[in-house]
Every structure is written in structure tokens, then in C-alpha cells.
Amino acid sequence: MQSKQQRKGGKRQKSPERETEGGDILNPANIEHIAKHKKQTKEERLETIKQGRPDKKFGFKKDKMNPYASTNNADKRKNKNFMMVVHKRSVRERGKKSFVEKQRELKKRLIKGNKK
């Protein structure tokens, strides 16, 4: 009858790397360059970010293209006091819609908008 070690495949062979290292002593060359970058200060991080994307403006336009143009109803609704709108049925149902329903409605609106 065979012993457990022989059934499992016997003893493991030592890897050639371990033999050359001299047992359990680690070779510093194997450990080096694990961390790619040194920890940077906030200023250094911001500088590298700005170098990566020059001439980029942040934020969005707050002004209209034509300051004398009137606002549409959608813009008026956005600026309306929330407490005045909370009790409306359309607003209450908006939160209950599933993601798929929202996708369908958006698709319909886009198709309808393209037809005009």
C-alpha cells in the first residue's frame, strides 16, 4: 500500500529561484518597484492633472446664448420652488418608475424630438 505522500504526488521539488536565493532570505531585487509612484502632495497631483488636459474649461455655462430670450416652461419648472411641486401627481410617480420605464420614455421623447 502506498503512503499519502506518494498518492498525492510525492514531495514538492524546490524551485530553482529559491535555491539560488539561499533559503528563506528574500532577494531585494524581487521586491523593488512594487509601488510605481511615490505619494504626491495635492499640488503635485493637480499639476499632473492639468498637464494631462490643457485648455479644458470646467463647469457649465450659466448664461443663455441670448440673454434677452424668454424662458421655456421646462426651465421655469426647474426653477420652481420644490415644495410647490411636491404634491403634483407627475412628480410623485416619477420616483416610482423603474429604470426600464424611464429608458422607454426617454427613447420615445428622443424619437419624437427628431421627427420635428
Side-chain angles (χ1 to χ4, degrees):
M1 185 159 194
Q2 296 176 346
S3 66
K4 283 185 178 181
Q5 287 181 346
Q6 289 175 351
R7 275 187 269 150
K8 289 185 177 179
K11 292 184 179 180
R12 290 185 181 176
Q13 294 179 357
K14 291 186 178 180
S15 63
E17 295 172 4
R18 257 184 114 67
E19 289 176 6
T20 55
E21 288 178 7
D24 294 327
I25 300 171
L26 293 174
N27 186 358
N30 294 341
I31 307 173
E32 287 179 12
H33 303 296
I34 290 175
K36 292 180 182 178
H37 305 287
K38 289 190 290 185
K39 192 167 185 178
Q40 296 176 328
T41 63
K42 186 173 183 179
E43 293 80 21
E44 291 172 342
R45 287 195 306 264
L46 289 174
E47 285 177 22
T48 55
I49 289 169
K50 287 178 183 175
Q51 288 172 0
R53 49 182 174 192
D55 303 332
K56 185 167 183 172
K57 295 179 181 178
F58 297 97
F60 57 92
K61 273 188 170 178
K62 291 186 179 180
D63 300 332
K64 296 185 215 172
M65 294 174 85
N66 180 3
Y68 302 107
S70 60
T71 57
N72 56 18
N73 288 336
D75 289 337
K76 290 176 187 173
R77 262 186 262 128
K78 287 178 187 175
N79 295 330
K80 196 161 193 174
N81 185 357
F82 181 71
M83 292 310 292
M84 294 173 72
V85 184
V86 173
H87 305 291
K88 291 187 85 173
R89 184 175 167 207
S90 61
V91 174
R92 283 184 289 157
E93 288 177 352
R94 200 177 299 156
K96 295 179 184 177
K97 290 179 186 173
S98 70
F99 178 72
V100 177
E101 289 173 345
K102 290 176 187 174
Q103 271 186 327
R104 286 181 191 145
E105 284 191 8
L106 177 64
K107 188 177 179 182
K108 284 180 188 176
R109 266 189 277 135
L110 291 173
I111 291 170
K112 195 173 186 180
N114 289 339
K115 286 183 181 178
K116 290 182 180 180

